[in-house]
Amino acid sequence: MREFKKILFIIGIISIFGTSLFAISQDLSAQGKKNLRSANMHLGGKRHEKALPLYEMVLEENPNHVDALNNVAAIYYDMTADYVKARDYFIRLIDVINSIYAEYEELNLTNEKAAKKYFKDNIKKPKLEKMLESVISFKDNCFTQLVNGGKLKIQSEEYEEAIKIFADISAIIPDSTITYRLTALCYEKLGDMENSRNFFIITAELDPADIFAKKQVASLFYNEEKFIESGNWYLEAAKCDPENSDNYYNAGIAYKNAKNDSLAYEAFQKALEFDAENLNIIITLSNIALSLKESDASTMYLQKAVDIDAADGTVDNAMYVTTLCYKLYGLKKFNELIKYAEIWHSIDNSSQEAVQMLYNASRELDDKKLMDKYNKMYQDMQ
């Protein structure tokens, strides 16, 4: 029991010493206090250029002095608009305030009475809770002000100056996507497409949901005729908006230009899922399927195109119909051939080829009635 009391006594001494040590950390020497008073006087008179070196002398003596840190940050923020330095001082101040709270929490574990006094003297009295909230807000706003400064340079077409500002921001906030995106736009304005693309890539890597950045990368690769890379990035963009057919379609175009029919075919098929009646996509799929030697698929897509085209009772693309009829004849799909050769005949009743197709199909099906019908039609055309 005696040993236990001894341990408690030692803890009490450490706790009290810890409290006093922190209180001293906000104290200054006589000269330090004089410097602080003079600095405050100059700052009140809006003579920040005289106040600043005095505050720096205070902080040289006591780097954790809350009021000095706060006022230096305010000078850089409000009076010199040096938001990089202001942010540094705001961060230092946040760290000090958090350390004060940490000291309080640690003390409260062992000595509630001392902790209560500590809180009153070092947190409540100087209103640190309100100060912390304000400081965090100003720290975050430094970033906004820096970005806005870069945007003003863009508006005045000072792109190289804007790039320098965004580089400074990136150095202190390396995960800020907006700075990389704006840097990319600046390089694009300067005609430096390689750097523009690279910064859009950084943007997209930091923010996988940034569809604009991904589409820009895809477009820039396309303009450089790097079609596979372009197609890949359009598919990346599609992940952000999976029900939009445009990105799949653009990927298909890119792969097609790369002469990679397999990749193009997959991309166009995906585009068709979300734009099922797009004749351009359907015909493109029919043509690619033919180049891939998938005759049935090529014919199926062509049938789909004709069905959509003829849905309103008129056919705008007669060539689709004639091509389809020859495909169906080659595949010996005679029942379907009769349907589409009838459409052919309806849009060109003078075509002997259409009637010949109809007669040949009925003969292959051994349909006497249809054979007589189409034979008579053919004879009437002679």
Side-chain angles (χ1 to χ4, degrees):
M1 179 64 71
R2 185 175 300 171
E3 182 68 18
F4 180 68
K5 286 182 179 179
K6 182 179 178 181
I7 292 171
L8 284 178
F9 178 72
I10 293 171
I11 290 173
I13 291 175
I14 293 172
S15 299
I16 293 168
F17 179 75
T19 305
S20 301
L21 182 63
F22 186 84
I24 291 171
S25 74
Q26 289 298 296
D27 284 346
L28 295 167
S29 65
Q31 183 61 48
K33 290 176 181 178
K34 181 180 177 181
N35 290 336
L36 182 62
R37 285 195 301 271
S38 297
N40 289 339
M41 180 186 69
H42 286 305
L43 185 60
K46 298 184 179 180
R47 296 182 297 274
H48 67 272
E49 69 284 352
K50 292 185 177 181
L52 189 58
L54 290 167
Y55 282 128
E56 288 173 346
M57 290 170 68
V58 171
L59 290 173
E60 186 176 345
E61 178 184 330
N62 185 350
N64 296 323
H65 197 278
V66 170
D67 288 338
L69 286 170
N70 191 41
N71 289 338
V72 172
I75 288 171
Y76 283 125
Y77 185 92
D78 285 323
M79 298 178 180
T80 67
D82 188 336
Y83 299 111
V84 174
K85 286 186 178 179
R87 184 176 182 276
D88 286 342
Y89 278 94
F90 282 132
I91 289 172
R92 283 177 60 182
L93 181 53
I94 290 168
D95 289 342
V96 170
I97 295 174
N98 284 335
S99 295
I100 294 173
Y101 272 98
E103 288 280 346
Y104 163 70
E105 294 292 344
E106 185 177 349
L107 181 59
N108 197 43
L109 293 173
T110 57
N111 191 332
E112 291 185 12
K113 184 177 179 180
K116 187 175 181 180
K117 184 178 185 306
Y118 179 92
F119 184 89
K120 180 181 177 181
D121 293 342
N122 297 288
I123 296 176
K124 185 177 180 180
K125 186 176 179 180
K127 300 178 181 179
L128 287 195
E129 186 175 356
K130 186 175 181 180
M131 181 186 285
L132 180 60
E133 183 180 333
S134 175
V135 169
I136 290 172
S137 177
F138 275 109
K139 186 263 294 183
D140 293 340
N141 202 42
C142 287
F143 169 75
T144 303
Q145 295 292 344
L146 285 166
V147 172
N148 288 342
K151 287 180 177 179
L152 287 174
K153 294 296 182 183
I154 292 175
Q155 289 175 8
S156 59
E157 299 184 1
E158 298 176 71
Y159 302 118
E160 291 179 349
E161 290 301 313
I163 289 170
K164 290 178 184 177
I165 292 173
F166 296 136
D168 289 341
I169 301 172
S170 298
I172 58 176
I173 311 175
D175 59 348
S176 167
T177 57
I178 189 171
T179 56
Y180 296 114
R181 180 199 274 220
L182 290 171
T183 300
L185 290 171
C186 287
Y187 277 119
E188 188 174 4
K189 292 290 186 180
L190 291 170
D192 187 342
M193 299 307 174
E194 183 176 358
N195 265 321
S196 178
R197 186 193 70 222
N198 290 339
F199 276 95
F200 274 127
I201 289 174
I202 294 172
T203 305
E205 289 174 344
L206 286 172
D207 182 7
D210 193 334
I211 188 171
F212 175 80
K214 291 180 177 181
K215 288 168 73 171
Q216 286 296 107
V217 174
S219 177
L220 288 166
F221 270 129
Y222 189 91
N223 292 338
E224 293 178 41
E225 298 186 1
K226 295 181 178 180
F227 298 121
I228 293 294
E229 292 89 341
S230 176
N232 292 344
W233 275 98
Y234 274 123
L235 291 184
E236 283 296 315
K239 292 177 182 178
C240 303
D241 189 9
E243 294 187 9
N244 186 335
S245 65
D246 290 347
N247 291 309
Y248 297 113
Y249 180 82
N250 290 334
I253 293 293
Y255 290 137
K256 195 169 185 296
N257 282 324
K259 302 186 186 307
N260 191 317
D261 286 340
S262 295
L263 290 177
Y265 194 53
E266 291 178 13
F268 283 122
Q269 282 180 315
K270 198 68 179 176
L272 191 62
E273 287 182 25
F274 303 105
D275 194 359
E277 295 192 354
N278 188 312
L279 287 176
N280 189 26
I281 296 174
I282 295 167
I283 294 301
T284 301
L285 280 167
S286 178
N287 292 335
I288 295 175
L290 187 63
S291 71
L292 293 172
K293 298 182 180 180
E294 296 186 17
S295 297
D296 285 344
S298 176
T299 304
M300 179 270 291
Y301 284 118
L302 198 53
Q303 282 180 260
K304 186 176 180 67
V306 173
D307 289 342
I308 292 170
D309 193 21
D312 62 356
T314 62
V315 176
D316 297 322
N317 298 283
M319 186 177 68
Y320 295 167
V321 182
T322 57
T323 303
L324 175 59
C325 288
Y326 281 109
K327 284 179 176 289
L328 291 170
Y329 188 83
L331 292 170
K332 298 182 179 181
K333 296 184 176 182
F334 300 116
N335 282 315
E336 294 170 67
L337 173 57
I338 288 175
K339 171 186 172 181
Y340 292 102
E342 284 278 13
I343 295 175
W344 182 1
H345 182 258
S346 71
I347 59 178
D348 183 8
N349 58 16
S350 66
S351 172
Q352 293 185 7
E353 285 180 273
V355 177
Q356 188 67 47
M357 283 277 187
L358 288 165
Y359 177 79
N360 290 340
S362 61
R363 185 181 63 190
E364 293 291 342
L365 293 170
D366 197 25
D367 189 323
K368 303 292 186 183
K369 186 176 180 180
L370 286 178
M371 287 172 63
D372 291 341
K373 173 186 173 181
Y374 295 130
N375 183 53
K376 184 177 185 304
M377 286 172 58
Y378 186 79
Q379 295 302 323
D380 290 344
M381 297 173 69
Q382 297 305 311

